[in-house]
Amino acid sequence: MQNGIERQKMKRFFLIPILLIATATCLMAEQRFDPQKQADSIASAISVPLYGYDLGAVASIIESMVKDADAIRAVAIFDISSEKVIFEAYKNEDNTFLSGEPIPQGQIKELQQLIHPIVHEQEKIAELRLYYLLAEKSAFESTATKASEYKWGVWWLIGVTIVVFLILTLLIRFLIKASRDKQLALSFGSRRFRMYAITGLSLLIAVVSLLGWMAVQRNKDKILTEVQSNLVDVLTTTSERLDVWVDQRSFFMQQLGRNPELVAITKQLLTVSPYKDTLLASSALADARDFFETNEDVFNDIGYFIINSDHISIASKRDDNVGSMNVIAIHKPKLLERVFRGETVFVSPITSDIILDRKGYEYTGLPPTMLFAAPIRRSDDTIIAAVAKRVDPARDFSRVLQFSRVGETGETYAFNQEAKLLSESRFDDDLRQIGLITKERSGILNIEIRDPGGNMAKGYRSEVPRSKQPFTRMAAGAFQLKSNLEKKKTPAVHSAIETDITGYRDYRGVPVFGAWQWNFELGMGMASELDIAEALSTYYTMRQTVLGILGVTLFLSIGATLFV
């Protein structure tokens, strides 16, 4: 009877490790493709650019998100308002992503379909149609990717499990036979045997924990790689879109500066004494205002200037700044000098010289403003003055930057060489709550990209004045890129893109991952960031699951071995 009990203990002691190693093997296996989760991520990422009908940005985001997802074979977007498919893309047999190409009908028949709503500000604007193959039916899976994912993660562990199984099976058979000796059987119930059992289980726990940690770490590394790729793609797309936006307006300004009617009006203005009362009483100013009011363009009607060679505004939409030093000359005199040398320039956000009547805004004080300026030329190409048009940085400029972002907490923004925010923050309400800006102010030019030392969104407050706090990891890296560009004899338009996926605090003190670059031509830095909490949410969920499974399995195994 005693021998039978001891034999059962030995079986439990040596067979439990096989269960634990098999559990670890399952944890190391590739995670199953979740089409619903993938569709939700894509729909969230493209909602903003799709609302702005920026299909180029939509295509770039979709490609970056599905290029490594072998199960996804095609994507389509159905527009609610027009009731038409406005975008299609698919992968061919060699996994090449073909954007804007009609999806072959023969291919659709072999695929599973998932329809997911695309929502912008609680309004359904389109439907995402995701076509995919179930993992077990995927015929186009990359051989290289499959080998790298499974060779180390699954087959190696299966081999180890088989070897351990054979060794333990032989050992169990040997000991069971040997345990027929009554003295040997009794020794398995002794204190010494229990010490051996505890030692063996401790080693087993260490091995299984290591395997579990490797599984979790492998998942985290894959997530971080995807986050890094998405941040770089979003920043690249946004930078290209901003370049196009600037080029379009610069081209218009060049044409405006050669407009014969504007040139004639400018000649009349230059004959008037450049004093406020004289200019306001002149017919030339009235003609200038009629010209700008009747000629529609790509700019919203926010404001304009005609500037003489002394940098005096001899024409303006508003009476207040007529006959005074132009706002560009006050803040960016070197840019205005470049205009009189024949260049068309983009003036990044500066503090306005007057209070602007910005509809829909309740901010007090001098708001931020930005401008495009170009030379006014006679027919012989002689520069006689400069023309400038205002742009609201909180509208068009910020929208260009905010069209693309990663996830729900992602943000893409611009900043100047003083580390001041140049575009509207997505978190203005949060910035007011934590006291970084007042209720009547926006974040533009009022937020410095500095590290407060802790998460202000969770109540942290630094005793160090904001101006004395260090730049964020991103801002410091961007300024270093700027310095490197300036040392080159022929600087590039854009610096290389740098990333940080180890994590750093943003200007709110919230831990984020980020990518950044410096735009030498526009004189500003650009960054795309994503909260770490969102980026690693899948990893945190998996880690809790793995720890829970391992914990319960180990607890039951130890209990069965030692106490049953």
Side-chain angles (χ1 to χ4, degrees):
M1 182 67 178
Q2 183 67 25
N3 288 349
I5 294 175
E6 297 304 327
R7 289 192 185 96
Q8 293 301 318
K9 285 186 177 182
M10 285 188 295
K11 288 181 180 179
R12 283 194 297 270
F13 176 71
F14 289 107
L15 290 176
I16 287 298
I18 298 175
L19 172 63
L20 293 174
I21 294 175
T23 301
T25 302
C26 293
L27 292 174
M28 290 294 291
E30 182 74 8
Q31 296 299 302
R32 187 176 180 83
F33 170 69
D34 186 346
Q36 184 66 44
K37 185 175 181 180
Q38 193 78 19
D40 184 67
S41 299
I42 295 173
S44 175
I46 66 174
S47 62
V48 176
L50 185 62
Y51 183 75
Y53 213 77
D54 188 350
L55 296 182
V58 169
S60 297
I61 294 171
I62 290 177
E63 180 175 5
S64 68
M65 297 185 73
V66 307
K67 62 183 179 182
D68 293 326
D70 294 310
I72 298 178
R73 307 310 306 169
V75 178
I77 297 176
F78 179 81
D79 182 59
I80 299 297
S81 59
S82 65
E83 297 185 348
K84 295 180 179 179
V85 175
I86 59 174
F87 175 82
E88 291 182 277
Y90 71 95
K91 294 178 184 176
N92 58 20
E93 293 187 9
D94 63 356
N95 261 9
T96 301
F97 185 81
L98 302 176
S99 177
E101 298 286 339
I103 304 172
Q105 293 301 312
Q107 183 172 333
I108 292 180
K109 294 178 181 180
E110 301 176 359
L111 302 173
Q112 302 288 324
Q113 181 182 9
L114 174 66
I115 298 177
H116 192 286
I118 303 175
V119 179
H120 177 75
E121 296 183 353
Q122 299 182 345
E123 177 188 356
K124 182 179 178 181
I125 60 174
E127 289 180 347
L128 174 69
R129 297 178 178 178
L130 198 68
Y131 298 93
Y132 63 96
L133 286 171
L134 295 177
E136 59 270 18
K137 296 181 180 180
S138 179
F140 303 104
E141 204 168 31
S142 169
T143 303
T145 302
K146 184 177 180 180
S148 62
E149 293 289 340
Y150 283 87
K151 184 177 180 180
W152 178 85
V154 177
W155 295 114
W156 185 84
L157 281 177
I158 290 176
V160 171
T161 303
I162 293 173
V163 172
V164 172
F165 175 80
L166 292 175
I167 293 174
L168 292 181
T169 300
L170 293 174
L171 190 57
I172 290 171
R173 291 177 62 85
F174 172 76
L175 290 176
I176 289 176
K177 290 181 179 180
S179 66
R180 293 171 182 171
D181 184 342
K182 184 176 182 180
Q183 186 63 34
L184 180 61
L186 291 175
S187 67
F188 280 99
S190 66
R191 180 177 297 178
R192 176 178 295 181
F193 175 77
R194 290 186 178 274
M195 290 180 61
Y196 290 155
I198 293 173
T199 301
L201 284 174
S202 298
L203 292 174
L204 184 63
I205 291 172
V207 171
V208 174
S209 298
L210 177 62
L211 292 175
W213 175 83
M214 291 168 66
V216 172
Q217 191 63 33
R218 177 168 167 266
N219 179 266
K220 181 180 180 181
D221 291 341
K222 185 175 181 180
I223 290 173
L224 290 177
T225 300
E226 291 177 354
V227 169
Q228 183 181 39
S229 176
N230 290 338
L231 287 171
V232 171
D233 288 342
V234 166
L235 186 58
T236 301
T237 302
T238 303
S239 180
E240 292 172 351
R241 188 186 307 115
L242 181 61
D243 287 342
V244 171
W245 183 81
V246 171
D247 289 344
Q248 288 175 342
R249 281 149 184 78
S250 296
F251 177 77
F252 172 84
M253 293 300 296
Q254 291 173 10
Q255 300 300 109
L256 180 63
R258 294 179 179 275
N259 184 293
E261 185 179 355
L262 180 63
V263 172
I265 292 172
T266 302
K267 289 179 180 179
Q268 294 177 17
L269 280 167
L270 291 172
T271 64
V272 179
S273 297
Y275 299 106
K276 182 174 183 177
D277 293 339
T278 308
L279 288 166
L280 290 176
S282 69
S283 60
L285 178 59
D287 291 342
R289 288 178 171 176
D290 287 341
F291 171 82
F292 284 107
E293 287 176 4
T294 57
N295 286 273
E296 297 182 357
D297 52 44
V298 295
F299 295 88
N300 293 322
D301 188 20
I302 298 175
Y304 51 83
F305 296 102
I306 296 177
I307 310 161
N308 68 15
S309 58
D310 294 324
H311 299 175
I312 302 298
S313 300
I314 57 176
S316 173
K317 180 180 180 179
R318 300 167 181 84
D319 293 348
D320 292 344
N321 46 21
V322 171
S324 63
M325 184 67 68
N326 185 262
V327 64
I328 304 175
I330 296 173
H331 294 283
K332 304 277 188 178
K334 291 184 178 180
L335 287 180
L336 198 52
E337 290 172 4
R338 286 171 54 186
V339 174
F340 280 94
R341 291 198 298 267
E343 297 183 44
T344 299
V345 301
F346 163 77
V347 183
S348 60
I350 55 178
T351 302
S352 177
D353 52 340
I354 59 172
I355 297 176
L356 302 173
D357 50 338
R358 299 163 66 204
K359 297 179 181 180
Y361 291 80
E362 299 178 355
Y363 304 142
T364 61
L366 295 176
T369 188
M370 59 190 297
L371 306 99
F372 285 85
I376 298 177
R377 302 173 185 268
R378 293 191 308 200
S379 57
D380 62 358
D381 236 22
T382 302
I383 297 173
I384 60 175
V387 59
K389 299 215 66 173
R390 288 187 189 265
V391 176
D392 186 351
R395 292 184 176 173
D396 292 348
F397 178 65
S398 293
R399 286 173 183 170
V400 170
L401 295 172
Q402 293 177 358
F403 266 157
S404 300
R405 67 173 189 265
V406 181
E408 293 297 322
T409 59
E411 180 183 27
T412 302
Y413 58 89
F415 54 96
N416 62 19
Q417 58 187 3
E418 298 172 348
K420 290 186 177 180
L421 195 64
L422 296 181
S423 56
E424 193 170 52
S425 171
R426 291 189 60 228
F427 309 109
D428 267 2
D429 291 339
D430 295 337
L431 298 177
R432 294 186 184 99
Q433 291 179 2
I434 62 182
L436 284 181
I437 56 175
T438 61
K439 184 178 180 180
E440 298 80 14
R441 296 280 185 177
S442 73
I444 302 176
L445 296 179
N446 292 309
I447 291 294
E448 294 186 23
I449 315 300
R450 296 182 180 273
D451 181 359
N455 192 340
M456 299 184 70
K458 292 186 177 181
Y460 176 84
R461 297 295 181 270
S462 175
E463 296 180 358
V464 180
R466 186 74 177 180
S467 60
K468 301 296 183 182
Q469 293 170 359
F471 295 131
T472 65
R473 162 78 180 92
M474 179 281 299
F479 293 148
Q480 184 60 51
L481 290 174
K482 173 180 178 291
S483 177
N484 294 340
L485 278 175
E486 290 174 339
K487 293 177 182 178
K488 294 183 178 180
K489 294 182 179 179
T490 55
V493 175
H494 302 98
S495 71
I497 294 178
E498 286 189 353
T499 61
D500 187 315
I501 54 171
T502 59
Y504 61 91
R505 287 183 291 268
D506 67 1
Y507 56 86
R508 302 166 295 154
V510 176
V512 296
F513 296 135
W516 58 86
Q517 71 174 173
W518 188 265
N519 188 316
F520 192 84
E521 189 172 79
L522 302 183
M524 65 173 66
M526 294 176 58
S528 183
E529 295 175 332
L530 174 66
D531 288 8
I532 290 179
E534 179 183 358
L536 295 182
S537 59
T538 302
Y539 160 72
Y540 293 142
T541 301
M542 180 187 179
R543 184 176 65 180
Q544 292 175 356
T545 303
V546 169
L547 292 177
I549 293 173
L550 288 177
V552 171
T553 305
L554 289 171
F555 176 78
L556 294 176
S557 301
I558 294 172
T561 302
L562 299 180
F563 303 110
V564 178

